[in-house]
């Protein structure tokens, strides 16, 4: 399935986000051009949030080396973390449309790839899905071999010498080669008289809205030697935020669950199925008397199909799980949390600290009466001078 959305910057002025919103699945907003903040990004994000639309942020990169790339990425993360509902993904826009790189010394292709890698990894370490934007030409040449991150590819098909625009099919030549395809710069939407860059997204991460929710843990009542509990991934979750909530290092969660790419997890639900006895739903260390089993929604599942497996009705499952639209369920995972009997137990055993802009590991250590070496060891940090805003540290 393809999702449709425009990418927007201050060039579109006070664009009518609320009128555009019903026509699209998501938005992408420019947040920075190098060190210059987009003048409309706060406004645009606020309106998207009010409309209940997921969004991503991108920075038009002016970095000429990896040191500048770090500064750019940290600015983006700090801004992303400031919003009440956080972006579903962050992206570095790697191109030279205005000739800046050429004027000040075009980096080598390897340096361009290194810049993308540095920014992408900082985005990931802050808990965000990371992408790289470039034209199909740049992907074939300057960025050839960069496979570390999902691609946002700009390629505008033409017919008779003109862009196809809105007539472009989502099943075009780029559909299987990227996460997002920018298919035209001449898109049209009701509510805006000018041209818009329009995109098709082929992965569900664009819909992962980071909300201020309080996920409910699902604690296993089956005894096991590993003393583990489970957690259901909710919209907006990432491993670092889950680890922060439960007082567990996200790397331990990734290792325990065999997650090779710890920044890609999926929104999901654990459904209560009447009559089961495997797990109990609990928000504390106290168990409940209503026994249930659980089921993790998989790609392609329908509520009626799940109901048939368990000899019940989709209406009953919908009612028990508070599902208002029985056609809307999502693929997901149930994550095992190592060493946790309940949220309250884990939180009392482990303190965490979220890195803020300007923090240093030695400064954080001083606040908590420990050493930066001990913090680095606890959190698997090989370079104690390299921490990022939004990073969650075990104290």
């Amino acid at each position: 399935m393809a999702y449709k959305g425009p990418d927007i910057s201050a060039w579109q002025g006070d664009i009518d986000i609320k009128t555009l919103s019903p026509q699209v699945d998501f938005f992408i907003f420019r947040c920075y051009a190098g060190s210059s903040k987009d003048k409309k990004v706060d406004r645009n994000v606020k309106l998207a949030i009010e409309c209940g639309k997921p969004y991503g942020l991108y920075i038009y990169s002016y970095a000429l080396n990896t040191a500048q790339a770090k500064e750019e990425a940290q600015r983006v993360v700090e801004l992303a973390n400031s919003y009440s509902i956080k972006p579903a993904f962050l992206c570095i826009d790697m191109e030279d449309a205005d000739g800046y790189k050429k004027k000040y010394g075009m980096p080598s292709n390897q340096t361009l790839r290194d810049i993308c890698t540095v920014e992408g990894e900082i985005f990931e370490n802050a808990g965000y899905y990371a992408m790289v934007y470039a034209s199909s030409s740049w992907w074939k040449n300057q960025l050839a071999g960069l496979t570390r991150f999902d691609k946002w590819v700009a390629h505008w098909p033409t017919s008779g010498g003109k862009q196809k625009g809105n007539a472009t099919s989502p099943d075009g030549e780029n559909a299987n080669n990227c996460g997002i395809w920018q298919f035209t710069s001449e898109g049209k939407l009701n509510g805006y008289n000018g041209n818009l860059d329009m995109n098709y997204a082929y992965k569900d991460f664009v819909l992962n809205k980071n909300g201020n929710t309080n996920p409910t843990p699902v604690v296993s009542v089956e005894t096991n030697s590993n003393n583990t509990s489970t957690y259901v991934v909710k919209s907006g979750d990432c491993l670092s935020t889950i680890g922060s909530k439960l007082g567990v290092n996200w790397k331990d969660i990734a290792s325990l669950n065999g997650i090779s790419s710890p920044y890609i997890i999926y929104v999901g639900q654990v459904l209560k199925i009447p009559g089961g006895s495997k797990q109990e739903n609990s928000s504390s260390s106290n168990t409940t008397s209503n026994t249930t089993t659980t089921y993790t929604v998989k790609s392609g599942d329908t509520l009626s199909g799940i109901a048939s497996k368990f000899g019940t009705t989709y209406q009953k499952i919908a009612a028990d799980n508070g599902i208002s639209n029985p056609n809307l369920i999502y693929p997901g995972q149930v994550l095992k949390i190592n060493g946790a009997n309940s949220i309250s137990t884990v939180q009392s055993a482990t303190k965490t600290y979220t890195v803020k802009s300007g923090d240093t590991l030695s400064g954080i250590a001083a606040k908590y009466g420990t050493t930066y070496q001990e913090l680095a060891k606890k959190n698997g940090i090989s370079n104690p001078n390299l921490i990022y805003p939004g990073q969650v540290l075990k104290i």
Side-chain angles (χ1 to χ4, degrees), residues 271-311:
L271 303 179
K272 297 179 293 183
I273 307 299
S277 60
K278 291 183 179 179
Q279 292 185 335
E280 291 186 339
N281 191 14
S282 174
S283 58
S284 68
S285 59
N286 296 323
T287 59
T288 65
S289 59
N290 297 321
T291 59
T292 63
T293 189
T294 60
Y295 178 82
T296 304
V297 177
K298 300 177 179 61
S299 180
D301 272 344
T302 63
L303 213 55
S304 58
I306 297 169
S308 66
K309 293 178 183 178
F310 288 88

Side-chain angles (χ1 to χ4, degrees), residues 178-204:
C178 58
I180 300 179
W181 172 24
Q182 186 187 83
F183 61 86
T184 185
S185 65
E186 298 179 355
K188 299 291 185 181
L189 290 173
N190 295 331
Y192 184 69
N193 293 328
N195 291 328
L196 289 169
D197 292 341
M198 292 297 299
N199 306 270
Y200 288 127
Y202 300 95
K203 298 182 181 179
D204 288 341

Side-chain angles (χ1 to χ4, degrees), residues 124-136:
E124 289 182 335
N125 286 335
Y128 293 98
Y129 194 96
M131 301 192 74
V132 177
Y133 169 96
S135 67
S136 56

Side-chain angles (χ1 to χ4, degrees), residues 40-213:
K40 300 296 181 181
V41 63
D42 290 338
R43 168 197 179 271
N44 291 337
V45 167
K46 178 177 181 291
L47 291 172
I49 291 172
E50 289 176 358
C51 293
K53 286 294 178 181
Y55 69 97
L57 298 177
Y58 77 91
I59 178 171
Y60 184 98
S61 177
Y62 282 118
L64 300 175
N65 53 57
T66 55
Q68 293 173 357
K70 290 177 184 178
E71 294 175 358
E72 284 190 343
Q74 288 166 354
R75 279 194 291 271
V76 173
V77 168
E78 185 173 359
L79 180 65
N81 287 344
S82 72
Y83 293 129
S84 60
I85 294 182
K86 297 177 184 178
F89 59 96
L90 300 178
C91 181
I92 173 176
D93 180 344
M94 178 53 74
E95 54 181 318
D96 195 31
D98 58 1
Y100 177 91
K101 293 182 179 69
K102 184 177 180 180
K103 180 179 179 179
Y104 292 99
M106 176 65 75
S108 68
N109 289 353
Q110 183 58 56
T111 299
L112 291 171
R113 292 190 290 268
D114 290 344
I115 289 169
C116 292
T117 299
V118 165
E119 297 211 17
E121 288 184 344
I122 290 175
F123 296 159
E124 289 182 335
N125 286 335
Y128 293 98
Y129 194 96
M131 301 192 74
V132 177
Y133 169 96
S135 67
S136 56
S137 173
W138 271 61
W139 280 113
K140 291 176 183 177
N141 297 292
Q142 287 90 338
L143 302 183
L146 180 62
T147 58
R148 173 72 174 77
F149 309 100
D150 216 340
K151 297 178 180 179
W152 177 12
V153 179
H155 178 74
W156 309 331
T158 60
S159 178
K162 295 182 179 181
Q163 289 188 40
K164 292 182 179 180
N166 287 15
T168 306
S169 168
D171 299 321
E173 57 191 278
N174 277 21
N176 296 319
N177 300 321
C178 58
I180 300 179
W181 172 24
Q182 186 187 83
F183 61 86
T184 185
S185 65
E186 298 179 355
K188 299 291 185 181
L189 290 173
N190 295 331
Y192 184 69
N193 293 328
N195 291 328
L196 289 169
D197 292 341
M198 292 297 299
N199 306 270
Y200 288 127
Y202 300 95
K203 298 182 181 179
D204 288 341
F205 72 83
V206 296
L207 303 183
N208 287 1
K209 296 178 289 184
N210 287 336
N212 295 326
T213 57

Side-chain angles (χ1 to χ4, degrees), residues 319-386:
D320 288 341
N321 290 275
I323 298 172
S324 58
N325 183 352
N327 296 313
L328 193 59
I329 57 175
Y330 307 96
Q333 293 174 275
V334 178
L335 300 181
K336 295 175 291 184
I337 307 300
N338 192 27
N341 290 319
S342 68
I343 283 183
S344 59
T345 300
V346 177
Q347 286 180 333
S348 64
T350 308
K351 290 183 179 179
T352 62
Y353 178 82
T354 302
V355 177
K356 299 177 179 62
S357 179
D359 275 343
T360 63
L361 208 58
S362 58
I364 297 168
K367 291 178 184 178
Y368 288 91
T370 184
T371 65
Y372 77 86
Q373 294 94 335
E374 181 64 22
L375 289 183
K377 181 179 178 181
K378 277 188 177 182
N379 292 278
I381 298 172
S382 58
N383 183 351
N385 296 313
L386 192 59

